[in-house]
Structures are given as C-alpha cells and as structure tokens.
Amino acid sequence: MRRTVALAFSGGLDTSVCVNWLQEKYDADVVTVTLDLGQRDDMGLIEKRSRLIGAKNHYTIDAKDEFLRDYVNPAIMANALYEGKYPLSTALGRPLIGKKLVEVAEREGADAVAHGCTGKGNDQVRIDVTVRAMNPKLQVIAPVREWNMSRDEEILYAQRKGIPIKPSKSIFSVDQNLWGRSAESGPLENPATEPPESAFEWTVAPEEAPDEPGYLEIEFREGIPSRVNGRSMEPLKLVSYVNQFAGSHGVGRIDHMEDRLVGIKSREVYECPAATAIIEAHRDLEKLVLTRHELNFKAQVEREWAWLVYSGLWLEPLRTALDRFISATQDRVTGSVRLKLYKGSMRVVGRASEYSIYDLGLATYGRGSKFDQMSAVGFIELWGLQSRVAASLNSRVEEKQEIGHPRTKAKAAE
Ligand code: ARG
C-alpha cells in the first residue's frame, strides 16, 4: 500500500519540489497543509498550486485566531524578545504548524509528516520536536535537509520533472506571519552592509515617513492589548492596525546578529511593527504597576521563556510552568500607554493605570510630599550594614597580602 505523508506547504519553490520528491523517493501520496497565520499570501492560489503539482489532498487551515490567542498573547505577556531584539515571530508559528501537521496526518492516516526546512536553521528543530512530542509514531521527513540541492539545482530539478513553478524574483528568503516578517540571504549575508530597501515590505523607510509624528495609545487588560487609539478591536484587527500604523512611520525594522540553535551566527533582518510597539508599551505598563521584586524576577523568567521558544521547546513543561508564573503577574497589568512614533523612532511618552504603584505624594519634589525624609536615615543605617562591616575588614585583608597569602606566595615563586 502506498504510504501517505502530510507536508507543510507554502507554495514556494522548496515545498513544491518536495511534493514530487516525496512521491518519487518515498513512494508516497502527499497531502499538503497550509496554515494561514496572517502571512498575506493568497490561500486560494496556494491550494490551486498544490493540486496542479499533484498532491492527493490539500488543507488550508485558518489558524490566525489560535495563533494570536495561544502563542502571540503569551509572548506579549512575556515581553518576548530573543537576545533582546527578535520578537520570535517565526519561532512562535512553527510549533503551531507542527501541531496542525500532526492533526492532518492522523486524520489522513499518514505515517509521516514532512516540511521544507533546511538542516541549517532553527525551524527544523521547532517542527521536528513538536511533531515527535505529540505523536512519536510519526516519521518526520525533511527533504531539503536530505537532498542538499542549491537553489539553481532545485529550479533545474523542477524543470526536468515538469513541476510548474515560477521562481520568485525575490533574492531573499522570507518568512511572514501576523507577528512579523523575516528576511535572510542574498545581500543580507554580509553583516557589514546596510540592508537594501528591497528587503523591506511592511515598513516605509524612516526617511520617507510622515513629517508629523504619530501617536499610538495602546490599552491593555490583564496584559493583553484591547483598544488602540480609543477604539476597541478584535485581536486580529488590533495587530493589523498596529502593524500598519507603526510601519507607516518606519517603526519595527530590526537588524540582528543572531545566534541560531545549531551554533551558526546569522544576520537577520526583521520587520515587526506591531510586536515592537506592543511589547514596548506592555513592558512600560508593567513598570508602572508591578513591584520592583516582580519586575526583577520576571525579567529572568522572560529571558528563559524566549530562549525555550526560540530553541524549539514550545512543548517543554518548563515553558508551561513559566507561563503560569507570567500569567499570575498580569492581574494588574491594565491601563494604557502612549507611544510617539516619528521617522523610524518610537518612544513611550505617557502611561496610566488604575493599579499604578506610582504615588505622586511620595515621588514629588514639590510641596506636600508625604514621604518622611528622616525615615531614610534609619533605612540607610541598616541597608549598608554588611558593606560597612566588610569595609572595616579591608585593613586586615591588606595586611595579609603584605605578609603573603600561601596562594599568592606560590604564584610569585613560579
Ligand atoms: N532566524 C529566525 C528564526 O529562527 C527566522 C527564520 C525565518 N526563516 C526564513 N526563511 N526567513 O526564528
């Protein structure tokens, strides 16, 4: 009996060649699966292409709401930026693709899933780990990892096999979803040179942005953005609105020297207008409403969270546990933050919350301060206690160094 393989299908060159390759090398029927994660592709066209190439069946899955609810929202609450910069847009989408591949494979009676990731990146890890954790019986096939063809060889292969592809004019390898757009390869591979304008699609060049600043007022309810510029919006609408608004001011371009999981350093160029604006606003609101102890500890948790997600361990129980902690900190993260956007720059210029820990009566240098300055004296006495005692011992330490500690003595004799 011919086996069935469920293939994650984008409609591009790689995954188009994959269909034929799986049919021939693995003697398999191929069922293609395309997720709509808000990547702005024509889903109807992708489905047509799949049928044309000879897939046995095709699934178009609108996963935008699930992606926002279960992947993007936790990332917002975690202020998730890998290495302090990358909002994890691609990284968040992969485990969901893995999950849907497993669902389709089980439904279609497939014994394997396949994807078009190379052996050099993070995406293979993210999908493979997810699939194998969800259903260890499924084999994972990554043709691109196996065949080792260059892009030109792939085009040749496609021509030989009569696979109807029109190789895109883009010199960049692009991945997009509603949380961001990533571009790699071509001229971007030289980290010393500025990315050409053609690498960008979601943002205008800061030089071309409007001469008037724009304001984004983002309101959060328990850590999740709910209204923008006074209008309450569905999550999907809200993210598209912020993407468009911030992008029109040239905000959201990220040029990042990134450490891939497999050890390669790579130069990545991202456009993440909504992610950049929303995370900046969210983080600022937290600074208003969380205690310094919460903030300090949460920063460590955020780093770990971003690392787990980046490195393909979405299903790791630690990630779920960290999410529970993060979620517990969000009860008071309700309020609004005002961002000022101007020619590629973005600044928080105001914030307010009913749970604000900021107390004007305590902070003011003006009249009517409630803070008893004399209480600082006793506080300082105790705060510096150990430092004082340690400093008083310095004279002894110096004495010992003059005589020569056994360890320093031995060193000197060498
Ligand atoms: N470096 C990013 C990540 O690992 C993005 C990779 C996206 N892939 C691409 N073909 N552009 O998440």
Side-chain angles (χ1 to χ4, degrees):
M1 204 181 89
R2 231 168 124 81
R3 68 193 296 202
T4 302
V5 177
L7 166 72
F9 185 71
S10 71
L13 173 67
D14 286 337
T15 53
S16 296
V17 172
C18 280
V19 175
N20 181 281
W21 204 81
L22 287 165
Q23 288 165 338
E24 291 199 348
K25 283 258 175 357
Y26 283 87
D27 196 23
D29 283 330
V30 179
V31 174
T32 48
V33 185
T34 307
L35 264 64
D36 183 356
L37 295 175
Q39 66 269 46
R40 311 181 189 187
D41 283 336
D42 183 338
M43 291 295 140
L45 215 68
I46 294 175
E47 167 154 14
K48 253 199 217 138
R49 162 165 289 265
S50 155
R51 307 241 183 247
L52 205 67
I53 297 173
K56 185 183 138 205
N57 200 357
H58 176 82
Y59 288 78
T60 302
I61 301 172
D62 181 353
K64 294 193 289 291
D65 290 331
E66 184 175 353
F67 183 49
L68 273 166
R69 188 189 62 228
D70 297 342
Y71 298 77
V72 172
N73 280 347
I76 295 171
M77 294 193 276
N79 297 318
L81 296 176
Y82 176 63
E83 295 184 326
K85 268 189 135 170
Y86 163 43
L88 295 171
S89 40
T90 296
L92 288 163
R94 299 312 187 195
L96 182 51
I97 293 175
K99 178 180 173 204
K100 297 294 173 194
L101 274 178
V102 171
E103 285 172 12
V104 170
E106 287 170 353
R107 205 166 136 177
E108 290 276 333
D111 68 348
V113 303
H115 57 70
C117 304
T118 74
K120 295 178 78 172
N122 303 310
D123 290 333
Q124 52 170 348
V125 183
R126 296 165 182 155
I127 297 181
D128 289 24
V129 168
T130 307
V131 169
R132 297 183 59 188
M134 285 186 70
N135 185 341
K137 290 206 189 85
L138 288 170
Q139 186 192 350
V140 186
I141 306 171
V144 179
R145 200 161 58 189
E146 292 177 17
W147 70 39
N148 210 5
M149 282 190 274
S150 71
R151 199 180 158 78
D152 290 339
E153 287 164 342
E154 273 183 65
I155 294 172
L156 235 71
Y157 179 97
Q159 283 165 352
R160 250 200 343 265
K161 302 283 177 185
I163 302 167
I165 43 116
K166 27 176 207 325
S168 72
K169 291 170 281 340
S170 173
I171 38 174
F172 306 108
S173 157
V174 171
D175 181 70
Q176 340 189 79
N177 62 46
L178 55 87
W179 205 229
R181 177 176 186 274
S182 109
E184 296 174 332
S185 79
L188 303 176
E189 285 180 355
N190 182 352
T193 55
E194 182 174 352
E197 235 356 84
S198 57
F200 301 104
E201 274 183 19
W202 290 18
T203 52
V204 304
E207 301 85 325
E208 309 288 322
D211 291 330
E212 289 296 310
Y215 288 90
L216 265 179
E217 178 151 344
I218 307 181
E219 290 179 52
F220 294 85
R221 284 186 61 153
E222 297 182 14
I224 303 299
S226 58
R227 290 161 68 90
V228 176
N229 287 347
R231 278 166 47 208
S232 90
M233 297 179 199
E234 290 303 307
L236 184 59
K237 178 85 209 307
L238 188 146
V239 170
S240 336
Y241 177 86
V242 179
N243 262 331
Q244 198 280 327
F245 190 100
S248 75
H249 284 276
V251 166
R253 293 187 174 188
I254 301 161
D255 186 333
H256 186 215
M257 279 317 299
E258 187 165 303
D259 289 287
R260 286 194 197 158
L261 186 56
V262 296
I264 298 173
K265 269 199 193 287
S266 69
R267 194 272 191 97
E268 305 276 333
V269 171
Y270 300 103
E271 291 174 280
C272 306
T276 303
I278 290 171
I279 290 174
E280 177 73 6
H282 179 265
R283 188 197 295 280
D284 193 87
L285 180 58
E286 285 188 332
K287 284 179 161 252
L288 184 68
V289 301
L290 298 186
T291 67
R292 67 166 127 175
H293 306 291
E294 288 177 301
L295 289 169
N296 266 335
F297 190 73
K298 185 166 182 282
Q300 297 176 45
V301 172
E302 290 170 356
R303 225 180 116 88
E304 188 65 29
W305 195 94
W307 163 244
L308 289 173
V309 173
Y310 183 82
S311 59
L313 299 181
W314 178 261
L315 291 180
E316 159 63 44
L318 177 60
R319 199 268 309 160
T320 323
L322 297 184
D323 264 333
R324 295 214 182 109
F325 165 79
I326 291 169
S327 157
T329 63
Q330 299 298 295
D331 294 351
R332 283 172 282 125
V333 186
T334 293
S336 67
V337 176
R338 220 158 115 82
L339 296 164
K340 185 173 184 173
L341 294 80
Y342 181 65
K343 289 193 178 292
S345 80
M346 179 186 67
R347 263 175 325 126
V348 174
V349 292
R351 71 288 278 164
S353 167
E354 59 190 294
Y355 298 110
S356 171
I357 292 179
Y358 174 85
D359 183 339
L360 181 65
L362 292 176
T364 183
Y365 285 113
R367 275 152 52 99
S369 165
K370 297 186 298 190
F371 189 88
D372 174 6
Q373 299 200 34
M374 284 317 289
S375 63
V377 178
F379 165 73
I380 293 165
E381 178 71 19
L382 300 184
W383 180 243
L385 180 66
Q386 293 200 354
S387 307
R388 276 202 317 279
V389 176
S392 76
L393 295 174
N394 272 352
S395 54
R396 269 198 230 169
V397 173
E398 278 156 22
E399 245 167 63
K400 208 162 75 188
Q401 275 168 353
E402 264 159 42
I403 303 164
H405 187 270
R407 210 177 54 221
T408 29
K409 246 186 177 165
K411 264 239 158 92
E414 268 171 23

